[in-house]
């Protein structure tokens, strides 16, 4: 029933920008914290950013602070990740995530590649 669908990934040059979107359905979106994770080849899945249900509280991994911004549009059941000043180290599959009750839910992921 819970469904998360990421979009917006692609190839971008170092220093460029990209905006990821996550469309959510199957739950009362505004009640739940949403997160973005990423996973690069050979690396652990890493928490990138989180946002509270009402959008008033945001947290970021140290590696992306000052460059990424998470936001949400609750009437549209959408969470966004604006990524600026991208670096090759940002290359990864990015996943949208939420937790409802005892279960974690994930999207299918969207590939972000930062390369010249």
């Amino acid at each position: 029933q819970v469904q998360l669908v990421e979009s917006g990934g692609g190839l971008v040059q170092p220093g460029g920008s990209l905006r990821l979107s996550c469309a959510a359905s199957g739950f009362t979106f505004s009640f739940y914290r949403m997160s973005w994770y990423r996973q690069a080849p050979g690396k652990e899945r890493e928490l990138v950013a989180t946002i509270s249900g009402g959008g008033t509280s945001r947290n970021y991994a140290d590696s992306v602070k000052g460059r990424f911004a998470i936001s949400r549009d609750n009437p549209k059941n959408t969470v966004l990740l604006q990524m600026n000043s991208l670096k090759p180290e940002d290359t990864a599959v990015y996943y949208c995530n939420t937790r409802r009750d005892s279960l974690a839910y994930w999207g299918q992921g969207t590939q972000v590649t930062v390369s010249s």
Side-chain angles (χ1 to χ4, degrees):
Q1 187 175 2
V2 172
Q3 188 172 11
L4 304 172
V5 181
E6 301 95 335
S7 62
L11 176 64
V12 64
Q13 295 184 354
S17 297
L18 208 59
R19 189 175 77 166
L20 306 183
S21 297
C22 173
S25 62
F27 62 102
T28 305
F29 182 71
S30 64
F31 277 82
Y32 294 92
R33 182 185 68 217
M34 301 296 298
S35 299
W36 286 97
Y37 287 75
R38 67 186 182 187
Q39 188 166 25
K43 301 290 186 179
E44 296 287 324
R45 189 168 294 189
E46 174 190 20
L47 177 62
V48 176
T50 62
I51 186 167
S52 62
T56 59
S57 180
R58 299 170 176 85
N59 288 281
Y60 300 92
D62 288 341
S63 59
V64 307
K65 285 181 180 176
R67 300 189 298 119
F68 290 12
I70 188 170
S71 62
R72 65 194 297 161
D73 187 342
N74 284 344
K76 296 182 179 179
N77 287 9
T78 300
V79 60
L80 307 172
L81 185 67
Q82 178 66 47
M83 305 185 294
N84 300 323
S85 301
L86 283 162
K87 305 175 180 179
E89 307 91 86
D90 297 317
T91 296
V93 178
Y94 284 71
Y95 297 92
C96 184
N97 163 268
T98 192
R99 184 182 298 274
R100 188 176 71 172
D101 299 323
S102 62
L103 299 178
Y105 296 90
W106 302 89
Q108 84 289 345
T110 185
Q111 176 71 49
V112 172
T113 302
V114 184
S115 176
S116 60

